[in-house]
Amino acid sequence: MTLKLETPIYGLLAEFDGEHELMHAAEQVRDAGYRKIDAYTPVPVHGLSEALGLPRSRVPLIVLCGGLIGGTTGLLLQYWTMAKAYPLNVAGRPLAAWPSFIPPAFEMTILFASFGAVFGWILLNSLPQPYHPVFNVKRFERATTDGWFLSIEASDPKFEYGETRQFLASLGAKEVSDVEH
Amino acid sequence: MADITRTREEGGFILEPSPTRPGPPAKIPLLHPAHNYETVTRKITSLVFNRTPSGWYIGMAILGLGMMLFTASVGYLFARGVGIWGINIPVAWGFDIINFVWWIGIGHAGTLISAILLLLHQEWRTSINRIAESMTLFAVACAGMYPILHLGRPWLAYWLLPYPSPTNLWPQFRSPLVWDVFAVSTYATVSLLFWYTGLVPDLATMRDRTKNRFLRVVYGMGSLGWRGSARHWNNYQMAYLLLAGLSTPLVVSVHSVVSFDFAVSILPGWHSTIFPPYFVAGAIFAGFAMVLTIVIPLRAFYRLHDLITMRHIDNMAKVTLVTGLVVAYGYLSEIFFAYYSGEYFEKFFITNRITGAYAWSFWALILCNVIAPQFLWSKRVRHNLPAVFLLMMFVNIGMWLERFVIIVGSLHRGHLPSSWAQYAGTFWDWSLFLGTMALFLFLFFLFIRALPAIAIFETRELIHPDQSQTETPA
């Protein structure tokens, strides 16, 4: 069985000299109307996601939900076990001892919020993903040391092989490579 | 470009300030100015990719013996029970709880460096945060074992967790000892998550740089397929910042909860409101001392002078001094409140601490934790590595003594004179303590050879973008 692919290649990958060149190119590519674009950098670059027109990260929302779930679970678990399931009378002290319930509930809040943060960033990034077409470009191994890359996918409606290649080269790319699927 | 990996004798460049230079010295840069992305990456990955140094094998051989001692101590404990230790009634908490608090306190500097200093934009944390976070993980691993080994029936440790059991019993949440279970297990989990999150982009670097196919697969799995894409960084940075924000109150809460184990009881010497802040400061004090204890030999052995500069050492020594002063304030306030309370037993207890059977431990504690750190006021001392190392050993011992003074010093003279007793650790107490130290260093040795010991991508961020490109194309 042969895999049916909509496009002959995944897209084009352009390498730039540095942060400023990449940032400038990203803005140009976005303004030219390309949407299926991404940049690859060895360090997080401030403002690059805005330059690419990426939406704000949704991680904070997941963290908030995690924290609320953790805190509520912690308080309810303690209330139910101490006051309902196993009411133990210790010298007549209140069974629902809310001040005592704060430390475990606090720890549960932090624990669940942290799970939210970590699984949030991993899953929102569609990781783990051992294979990705950009890894086919030999030069791409520099992306985790000192390479600055910009990719345009062939499935982008505006993608026109010759024209897009020309456009990327005109933005000052050091090298433009075809990315195999 | 000068070869920054060589020492001064070999014609290289190291960033030791010249003692003869007049006037106030310029601020030492956090990174050697000749570094670019490639050299930083090569230098840090070379710690793993270079041939294993023979010193590492020698160290591992010694630590292997220590691990055998550890295994024997735990094995004999499981066979015979806690009677092999020196604990008795009334001193039911001995080395086990002293060492538990000592180890967990050491862990706190790791979280402080990785989280609080990140939020405060202290860039000098970068070269040491991975080492400090790893130290946290290994210290918490050592700490977490002690309460379980102390249980008497350690195979029933899961009884500490709330789960629906056929006996219909639940843990008593009104007890600080149950809070401790939640605090320590959350702390261990969140430290691990934070540490791993920081590692992912660096594991991708390791994957892309290794020549070995097998290692590429191993690091590739660890890196989860990280590509450094703008989308990745977008979510990653937000998550990293939020984790730092979550870890900051966590680290404060964990040692506060540990101090509640003592402060919520009514024993003189334990029942004190100063305990939470004074325990947290003590934890950071102990932790920074341990970071320096590890960093100074590591920096010399791997010649990391261009990445871990004297400014790092200087800053850490200053934090140690400040937290040491907070701890000294804690000791003073304990004495003052015992006097000011007018309570007969409180006054007896503090007199007994200063002049009683264990007075030697109190005065040794004052020497180690109050007098020794004062030398750090001097810049010359802070820039003298053997002196800093020696002072940090004082602090390591002092913080152990502090827990000895608090635990044994308070328990052996309770309210009821008929149950007064003396306490001393036995051979098995000491062997287990030495064993956990060996375990701690053993894990550290493995970490240094397997994972990047310094955060690579964060170190790259210290380089000015104009310098980012390598001049010679790969």
Side-chain angles (χ1 to χ4, degrees), chain A residues 17 37 39 57 125 142 144 146, chain B residues 38 208 230-231 460 469-470:
Chain A
D17 276 327
I37 51 180
S57 172
N125 286 347
R142 301 302 295 178
T144 51
D146 56 2
Chain B
E38 166 64 23
D208 290 344
R231 284 172 222 293
R460 281 192 212 116
Q469 270 291 313
T470 317

Side-chain angles (χ1 to χ4, degrees), chain A residues 109-132:
Chain A
T109 310
I110 299 282
L111 182 68
F112 279 61
S114 302
F115 277 131
V118 173
F119 294 114
W121 81 258
I122 291 176
L123 297 177
L124 286 178
N125 286 347
S126 317
L127 299 176
Q129 186 185 7
Y131 176 78
H132 191 274

Side-chain angles (χ1 to χ4, degrees), chain B residues 87-382:
Chain B
I87 47 176
N88 55 39
I89 298 295
V91 190
W93 283 3
F95 268 45
D96 37 15
I97 304 301
I98 298 171
N99 295 341
F100 161 70
V101 182
W102 190 72
W103 276 120
I104 199 135
I106 283 170
H108 283 46
T111 320
L112 183 97
I113 290 172
S114 56
I116 301 181
L117 297 186
L118 178 81
L119 297 180
L120 296 175
H121 297 287
Q122 294 296 306
E123 286 186 329
W124 61 273
R125 73 181 263 287
T126 300
S127 314
I128 48 168
N129 79 335
R130 178 74 44 75
I131 297 173
E133 283 172 36
S134 311
M135 182 194 79
T136 296
L137 275 184
F138 307 149
V140 172
C142 291
M145 270 183 305
Y146 268 109
I148 294 173
L149 294 177
H150 182 235
L151 284 179
R153 288 184 289 170
W155 52 92
L156 299 178
Y158 63 92
W159 282 9
L160 293 164
L161 301 171
Y163 71 100
S165 75
T167 57
N168 284 323
L169 292 177
W170 291 91
Q172 180 50 264
F173 283 105
R174 285 173 291 182
S175 159
L177 296 180
V178 175
W179 306 349
D180 218 20
V181 175
F182 277 73
V184 173
S185 56
T186 299
Y187 186 50
T189 313
V190 174
S191 300
L192 181 70
L193 292 173
F194 199 15
W195 179 79
Y196 179 66
T197 295
L199 264 173
V200 167
D202 288 354
L203 289 175
T205 302
M206 303 291 276
R207 170 198 69 199
D208 290 344
R209 292 182 73 92
T210 178
K211 306 273 187 296
N212 181 319
R213 270 194 69 83
F214 172 71
L215 284 183
R216 183 151 59 237
V217 173
V218 172
Y219 287 124
M221 287 197 286
S223 72
L224 305 171
W226 177 266
R227 305 190 291 282
S229 118
R231 284 172 222 293
H232 285 186
W233 285 120
N234 195 18
N235 291 321
Y236 178 87
Q237 278 203 294
M238 185 56 84
Y240 200 64
L241 192 67
L242 287 170
L243 276 176
L246 291 166
S247 302
T248 301
L250 176 67
V251 68
V252 175
S253 82
V254 171
H255 227 62
S256 299
V257 168
V258 170
S259 81
F260 290 156
D261 291 345
F262 302 98
V264 173
S265 77
I266 53 160
L267 194 71
W270 286 7
H271 189 62
S272 160
T273 47
I274 192 84
F275 261 38
Y278 145 59
F279 264 54
V280 172
I284 294 162
F285 182 53
F288 268 88
M290 188 55 93
V291 176
L292 278 166
T293 311
I294 291 170
V295 159
I296 291 172
L298 188 73
R299 174 180 186 264
F301 186 76
Y302 279 112
R303 296 194 175 151
L304 298 173
H305 305 72
D306 48 332
L307 295 171
I308 302 172
T309 64
M310 283 314 290
R311 196 167 139 202
H312 293 98
I313 309 276
D314 189 73
N315 282 349
M316 285 192 275
K318 282 180 188 161
V319 177
T320 315
L321 174 61
V322 171
T323 46
L325 290 173
V326 178
V327 169
Y329 174 79
Y331 301 150
L332 268 180
S333 76
E334 280 192 311
I335 296 172
F336 173 74
F337 279 108
Y339 151 75
Y340 195 66
S341 71
E343 227 255 323
Y344 176 78
F345 208 85
E346 286 278 343
K347 281 193 282 190
F348 161 75
F349 148 75
I350 209 77
T351 319
N352 184 52
R353 174 182 280 186
I354 296 169
T355 62
Y358 293 107
W360 58 269
S361 63
F362 177 77
W363 292 108
L365 158 73
I366 296 295
L367 171 73
C368 290
N369 276 4
V370 180
I371 298 170
Q374 302 312 318
F375 289 100
L376 295 170
W377 286 101
S378 151
K379 188 167 183 172
R380 268 188 56 206
V381 173
R382 290 200 307 270

Side-chain angles (χ1 to χ4, degrees), chain B residues 368-448:
Chain B
C368 290
N369 276 4
V370 180
I371 298 170
Q374 302 312 318
F375 289 100
L376 295 170
W377 286 101
S378 151
K379 188 167 183 172
R380 268 188 56 206
V381 173
R382 290 200 307 270
H383 283 250
N384 181 340
L385 291 175
V388 174
F389 188 77
L390 183 72
L391 290 175
M392 293 308 136
M393 290 316 275
F394 270 98
V395 174
N396 288 330
I397 296 169
M399 284 311 291
W400 189 87
L401 285 168
E402 180 196 299
R403 281 67 181 247
F404 182 88
V405 166
I406 290 172
I407 293 173
V408 177
S410 305
L411 282 173
H412 88 294
R413 289 287 180 271
H415 284 111
L416 201 61
S418 63
S419 51
W420 284 356
Q422 297 305 108
Y423 170 84
T426 61
F427 169 81
W428 294 107
D429 281 307
W430 286 105
S431 70
L432 186 61
F433 186 33
L434 276 177
T436 53
M437 281 193 230
L439 173 70
F440 175 77
L441 289 174
F442 187 85
L443 292 170
F444 218 91
F445 268 54
L446 288 180
F447 156 73
I448 292 286

Side-chain angles (χ1 to χ4, degrees), chain A residues 88-158:
Chain A
L88 187 68
N89 187 338
V90 182
R93 290 189 180 84
L95 293 172
W98 294 105
S100 287
F101 297 166
I102 297 291
F106 174 79
E107 305 297 341
M108 294 271 283
T109 310
I110 299 282
L111 182 68
F112 279 61
S114 302
F115 277 131
V118 173
F119 294 114
W121 81 258
I122 291 176
L123 297 177
L124 286 178
N125 286 347
S126 317
L127 299 176
Q129 186 185 7
Y131 176 78
H132 191 274
V134 289
F135 289 129
N136 289 327
V137 179
K138 176 77 184 113
R139 198 47 206 165
F140 189 72
E141 66 184 30
R142 301 302 295 178
T144 51
T145 297
D146 56 2
W148 306 85
F149 295 91
L150 186 73
S151 71
I152 302 182
E153 286 178 38
S155 53
D156 191 292
K158 245 186 90 59

